[in-house]
Structure formats: C-alpha cells, structure tokens
Amino acid sequence: MSTGEIIGDFADWFAMNQTCPDGSKMVTVEYFEPLEELPNLIHKKDCKYPQSLWRYFKFLPLYDERNIISMGEGAIPVNRWKFLEDIASEAYGIDCKVYVYRNDENQGTGTFKDAAATMAASIMKEHGIKEYVIASTGNIATAYSRYLALAGVSLSVFIPENAQLTHQSEMGTYGQRVFKVRGDYAKAKQLAAEYANRYNILISLGNIDPIRVEAKRTMVFEWIRLMEEFPTVYIQALSGGTGPIAIEKGINEIKDLNLVNKLPRFILAQPHRCNPMAQAWEKAKQNNFPEGWLNDYPVLENPQTTIPTLSTGNPTTYPLIADIVKRSDGEIISFNEDNAIDIARLATYETTVKVGPAATVALGGFFEALTDGHIKNGDVVLINIGEGAKRSPEFMEAVNYSTKIVSSIDECEEFDRSQYRDKLRQAVLDKYPKKANV
C-alpha cells in the first residue's frame, strides 16, 4: 500500500471498497512463493496451462485453480517481422531486430485486454462477486463483458458516445448492461463512479487496478520464455498505460534472478487528435523536465479522434506513466492517425495479419521512432499489437486497396501481387522521411 500497511488479500481489498486508509487506490500485490521457482515455470515444457497465462498460477492472486476462467489468452505469440527490419536498415541505416507481440488472435476477444479479463473473472468467481462496474473506451469492457458473463457476474458498462458500435453490440450479446453516455470517456468514468457509489457495487480502478497489473505483468515472463533476447525497446499505443506499469512490476520482481538487466526503453504512441500525454511530455522535455513537470498535463475535452479506443482526454495516470518512461530513457510521442490506413495496408500485405486501428498507432510509433532517432543500432524492438481488426469493419474496408469493379471479362487483366510491395512501402516512407541530422 501507499501507506506501507499490509492487508490480507483481495477479499480484504474488496471489503475495504478498494480504498486504502489514506484514501489512495494504489496497492502492490506480493507473493509468498519463493521467486526462485519462477524460472522453472517460465521454461517448463509439460506445463498444466501451456496455452494460458495461468502457467504462472503460483505467482497470481488466486487460491483455487478450480476458479480459473480461461479461454487460452496469455499464450500470445511473438513473431519476428523481418520486413520492418529491412525497412529500418535500407531506409534509415538502422540495424535492429523487430518483433511483434500478437494479441489479434487471442481466443477470448482478440485484444490485449483478455489477460486482465481472465484474471478479473477468476478472482470475482473465487470471492463471490456478483456485480461489477467498468468505464471503458471499448476493448477492456468488451473483454470483461465476456469473461465476467462466464463467471456469472452482472457487469454494468459505461462507454462514451464515440465508442465503436461493434463494441457496444458485442457487450450486449453477452447479456451485460451497456450505458452509452452522452459525452466523452471522462464523462463515462464520472457516471460509472456515481453508479457504483449509488448501488454500492465494486468498480474497476482502471489502469492502476491491481487485477489488471498482475495479469499484464506476465508479459515479462512470456517474453523471457518466447524470445531469444529480452527487448531493449518496447512500443505500444497509449491510452491510460497499464502496460508499462505492469512491465516494470514484472521486471522488478525478477531483477535479482539474472533474467532481465533493466527496463526496455518505453516508446509510447498516442494518436495526434487525442495526445495529452505526448503534449505534456514534449513540453516537459523542451523545458528540461522542471520541478512539478509530472503534474503538468492538459485535459482534452471530448477529443474527436478517429481511434476511439485511445480517446482518453484526461490522462490521470500521466504522473505514473511519464515517470516510468523517463526512468527507462524512453519517449511519449504523437502519431499522425491520418497515416493509419497506409501502415495497416503495408503490415497486412507483408504478414497477412489484420491489425486494428489502435495497433496501427503502435506500428506507426515504430516509424516515428526511426525518423526521430529513438531506435539505435543493435536494438531489439518489441511492438505490442494490442488488437486485431475484427471489431473495426469500417477500418478494414478503408484498408482495402485492390478491388476493381468490372462488367466484362475485357476489364479483367492478369494480376501479379508483387506489384503492390514497392507502392505500399513508399506510401509509408513518404510520410516518414529520414532526417538529415538523425
């Protein structure tokens, strides 16, 4: 706890309405199992839960394995994307390795949020929680809607009015209540809190929620298991920022086991129409990070981004995230969301992986970082592909570039797929030219 006080477990935490005596919502989960056993779990071949983050059951906050609700999430593949390495070398003169952490084919809901959802559903089942409240821009609430339904939990979801219709529809099909708020994400969070208080229901604490942090910290263990080298650079799209918080916790837990030397450099990308953390970071950087900089950030009212899952205009986690980024020698950057289509076209052509809008922000962060000199020779880059495209049919329709409407066979010429490669690469490179001083 922030007070240094020790409480028992999640049963006690829930009984305290998830609030410390000093009013803080911040807690840190610790385990009694000796950490020396963790490397064995990471490398174990005949694991009881090979296709799930539950292979780390001894180091997760659940007592009884019979309460596990899992759909295979957590065993997320790490793929090496050589085409990005080739572009980095040929166009920018940077020799690096590039991997992607694939969340698009999760068996739960196909997003980065399924890890948190399996943890939440299992903990709530174990402690007999029957009602829960969450505010979300889309992905986390969709994952919670499905998993909590399996746990028999009634979930009330508050989403902003710009949330994607596909998210709203999917939540509703699981029998969960969806409140679509007239306003932005900040308004949705306000109403969710008021609703939880009125009816005395537990509410998700958002990006600092220990349930989410404990689940996502297993990323660190998975990278050790799946990669030959631990990443020196980690890139993800940024909305609230549970990922960096969880990664730092996971690394701190095992830093004495000679498995990881230090934090990767966090490069976190926000869409340019909703980028309050990137604005605050750039201002602090230009002023050499003056006293009080962590609490100096703008609040964007009702941001009109084309990527609504990242529409967090009031970045209350900025002090936490920015501090981690600075200690990692990283960056918080803006990504021009108008470039999303070209990046998605290139990625899908080269890999056949259909990335969603938020995932293109992470990929775009890679090109922004190359252009600005944030990726160095010898770096091992890991890009978190946080979502697939299945919930974004409009986006996938825009990504399509090869359809031709015809009325006769005379209009149907022979076709060579390779003709697109240079065009698609150049379309991206034109937007990210190498700078002479980098």
Side-chain angles (χ1 to χ4, degrees):
M1 280 190 171
S2 59
T3 60
E5 183 176 342
I6 298 174
I7 60 176
D9 54 19
F10 270 96
D12 296 322
W13 179 235
F14 293 151
M16 297 167 65
N17 197 27
Q18 304 177 117
T19 305
C20 302
D22 67 347
S24 170
K25 302 287 187 180
M26 289 288 295
V27 293
T28 298
V29 178
E30 296 181 356
Y31 299 91
F32 294 107
E33 294 287 342
L35 286 170
E36 288 75 15
E37 292 187 21
L38 189 54
N40 293 330
L41 290 178
I42 292 173
H43 300 296
K44 194 172 184 179
K45 300 297 184 183
D46 57 342
C47 180
K48 186 174 181 180
Y49 303 103
Q51 299 303 315
S52 171
L53 59 77
W54 292 104
R55 77 161 43 232
Y56 307 109
F57 173 77
K58 286 186 176 182
F59 298 94
L60 293 173
L62 199 73
Y63 291 120
D64 192 337
E65 294 181 56
R66 291 173 295 182
N67 292 319
I68 291 175
I69 294 176
S70 175
M71 304 183 73
E73 68 298 312
I76 300 168
V78 176
N79 297 158
R80 188 169 177 179
W81 279 11
K82 280 279 294 168
F83 83 96
L84 291 177
E85 296 176 8
D86 293 342
I87 290 173
S89 177
E90 295 166 10
Y92 301 93
I94 297 296
D95 292 322
C96 60
K97 296 178 182 178
V98 182
Y99 297 84
V100 296
Y101 192 48
R102 292 273 307 280
N103 291 266
D104 55 294
E105 292 186 341
N106 274 9
Q107 297 177 53
T109 63
T111 77
F112 187 37
K113 311 301 184 181
D114 290 333
T118 182
M119 185 68 61
S122 303
I123 289 174
M124 289 180 203
K125 178 182 176 183
E126 181 157 88
H127 295 288
I129 306 300
K130 294 301 181 184
E131 293 181 88
Y132 200 64
V133 180
I134 193 168
S136 171
T137 56
N139 279 336
I140 188 68
T142 304
Y144 271 48
S145 293
R146 184 173 191 185
Y147 281 81
L148 267 59
L150 292 172
V153 178
S154 297
L155 178 67
S156 296
V157 177
F158 289 78
I159 58 175
E161 60 187 344
N162 71 341
Q164 291 174 277
L165 288 175
T166 46
H167 286 113
Q168 177 183 331
S169 300
E170 189 169 350
M171 294 172 205
T173 62
Y174 302 133
Q176 307 290 23
R177 171 57 63 88
V178 180
F179 294 100
K180 192 168 186 177
V181 175
R182 295 185 184 94
D184 61 7
Y185 181 41
K187 181 68 173 181
K189 289 196 291 185
Q190 174 194 331
L191 293 190
E194 292 175 2
Y195 180 88
N197 183 61
R198 172 172 294 186
Y199 296 106
N200 194 28
I201 305 172
L202 290 173
I203 185 171
S204 169
L205 300 180
N207 298 97
I208 64 169
D209 196 316
I211 293 174
R212 293 172 62 173
V213 171
E214 290 310 291
K216 289 190 176 184
R217 85 193 211 290
T218 61
M219 285 190 293
V220 172
F221 312 151
E222 288 289 89
W223 299 341
I224 294 170
R225 182 173 73 89
L226 296 170
M227 300 178 67
E228 295 179 359
E229 306 169 82
F230 198 79
T232 61
V233 174
Y234 170 80
I235 302 176
Q236 76 164 65
L238 176 63
S239 180
T242 307
I245 296 170
I247 291 167
E248 181 177 48
K249 183 177 188 293
I251 289 175
N252 284 341
E253 285 178 336
I254 61 175
K255 62 184 179 182
D256 294 331
L257 301 180
N258 297 318
L259 295 174
V260 183
N261 293 324
K262 63 178 182 178
L263 286 172
R265 301 197 307 278
F266 290 111
I267 297 178
L268 310 179
Q270 294 197 293
H272 78 284
R273 293 188 181 93
C274 185
N275 63 349
M277 292 204 205
Q279 288 184 40
W281 176 266
E282 189 59 31
K283 178 182 177 181
K285 188 177 176 181
Q286 289 178 357
N287 291 289
N288 198 28
F289 300 99
E291 183 177 352
W293 70 274
L294 286 171
N295 294 304
D296 183 10
Y297 56 85
V299 174
L300 308 184
E301 299 291 343
N302 201 22
Q304 298 302 306
T305 173
T306 59
I307 305 175
T309 53
L310 300 178
S311 61
T312 301
N314 185 359
T316 55
T317 54
Y318 176 74
L320 282 173
I321 302 304
D323 182 52
I324 294 172
V325 171
K326 189 171 188 301
R327 284 188 283 105
S328 77
D329 294 323
E331 297 285 341
I332 304 176
I333 60 179
S334 290
F335 163 72
N336 187 334
E337 59 196 80
D338 294 335
N339 298 340
I341 297 298
D342 285 324
I343 287 175
R345 285 173 175 170
L346 176 61
T348 305
Y349 173 87
E350 293 282 1
T351 68
T352 73
V353 174
K354 298 187 292 294
V355 296
T360 64
V361 176
L363 290 170
F366 173 74
F367 286 99
E368 296 276 0
L370 280 171
T371 302
D372 292 338
H374 301 318
I375 296 176
K376 312 295 184 183
N377 281 321
D379 269 333
V380 178
V381 181
L382 181 63
I383 306 172
N384 193 326
I385 306 296
E387 62 171 3
K390 72 175 186 177
R391 289 206 208 95
S392 306
E394 301 88 354
F395 183 75
M396 284 309 301
E397 184 177 355
V399 169
N400 177 29
Y401 54 87
S402 63
T403 298
K404 180 179 181 179
I405 300 174
V406 299
S407 56
S408 74
I409 192 64
D410 293 332
E411 299 174 86
C412 305
E413 69 276 3
E414 279 191 295
F415 162 68
D416 179 2
R417 180 178 179 274
S418 65
Q419 67 181 284
Y420 291 123
R421 175 176 278 110
D422 290 343
K423 293 179 181 178
L424 294 174
R425 287 194 179 194
Q426 197 58 48
V428 172
L429 291 175
D430 284 346
K431 294 175 172 61
Y432 297 102
K434 179 180 180 181
K435 295 180 181 178
N437 61 342
V438 172

